Amino acid sequence: MNDTHKIVSGITITVSENRISADEFNYLTSQVGWGTRASYIVEEALQNTAHSVSIYADNKIIGYGRLIGDKTIFLYIQDIMVVPEYQGKKIGIEIMNALLDKINEYKQMNSDIRTYLGASKGKEQFYEKFGFKTRASADLGEGMILF
Ligand SMILES: CC(C)(COP(=O)(O)OP(=O)(O)OC[C@H]1O[C@@H](n2cnc3c(N)ncnc32)[C@H](O)[C@@H]1OP(=O)(O)O)[C@@H](O)C(=O)NCCC(=O)NCCS
């Protein structure tokens, strides 16, 4: 576990790596309208996560993001969440920059590592700020999903 303290938009935050609990994860997903899952399912998912970043203010979780994948050839950015009360205060940027720092570490092994994400509708512009392109604009085929 690695903690960094800083002030963002006047809020004192702690950025922690690989720290989140299943209860905290469910708290965040419910806060952003994604519902909750059984704890055992979330625990397994968190255990199988490559790397995660949690943001705390006053010792309470306010934001999160994680990387899944093989850390070498393919990575996926998942579950970027900021609780509504703290949205629009650059916390999302902190989460993304912390994940991108980790991706740059992985790049020391393979500079060609590919990082994907599936943006929620209307959130594409948030990710474009960090250099992500839609597959169509990168002249690639559609991203696909199996439900
Ligand atoms: C999307 C989300 C993570 C952004 O986090 P945030 O802390 O509110 O965003 P920030 O304050 O760090 O914003 C960073 C920049 O992105 C922009 N931005 C944020 N959300 C945006 C959106 N939906 N569309 C376009 N731009 C957006 C901000 O205007 C800001 O731009 P600026 O730096 O030019 O001022 C947050 O709103 C959230 O948790 N939403 C609900 C869950 C969700 O949909 N997650 C994304 C799943 S793909």
Side-chain angles (χ1 to χ4, degrees):
M1 211 154 70
N2 187 7
D3 287 353
T4 313
H5 307 282
K6 52 170 82 173
I7 297 177
V8 174
S9 304
I11 307 158
T12 303
I13 61 166
T14 302
V15 184
S16 302
E17 297 181 338
N18 302 319
R19 169 173 167 184
I20 195 169
S21 68
D23 282 350
E24 288 174 329
F25 188 90
N26 270 330
Y27 165 74
L28 290 176
T29 54
S30 68
Q31 281 280 308
V32 301
W34 296 346
T36 59
R37 298 177 179 87
S39 291
Y40 76 95
I41 292 177
V42 177
E43 273 158 20
E44 183 75 13
L46 297 179
Q47 258 173 37
N48 293 332
T49 290
H51 184 77
S52 75
V53 170
S54 316
I55 310 276
Y56 294 83
D58 291 330
N59 278 323
K60 192 166 171 69
I61 196 157
I62 61 162
Y64 178 74
R66 64 181 178 137
L67 299 175
I68 58 175
D70 59 26
K71 306 185 186 184
T72 315
I73 302 175
F74 284 110
L75 284 173
Y76 284 77
I77 290 181
Q78 283 292 143
D79 300 319
I80 307 294
M81 303 181 269
V82 176
V83 299
E85 188 190 341
Y86 285 93
Q87 286 177 10
K89 297 179 191 297
K90 315 283 183 203
I91 303 293
I93 291 183
E94 285 299 318
I95 298 167
M96 286 297 294
N97 283 339
L99 293 178
L100 291 167
D101 283 350
K102 193 69 191 179
I103 292 167
N104 280 332
E105 255 179 53
Y106 295 146
K107 279 189 178 174
Q108 287 166 14
M109 161 83 85
N110 174 19
S111 61
D112 287 333
I113 193 165
R114 282 215 181 177
T115 304
Y116 280 87
L117 62 81
S120 299
K121 234 182 175 49
K123 299 297 188 304
E124 297 85 350
Q125 281 174 311
F126 171 70
Y127 295 110
E128 280 168 6
K129 290 182 183 295
F130 304 95
F132 284 84
K133 295 180 179 3
T134 64
R135 285 179 54 97
S137 63
D139 210 16
L140 296 165
E142 296 279 5
M144 298 178 78
I145 190 163
L146 180 66
F147 288 112

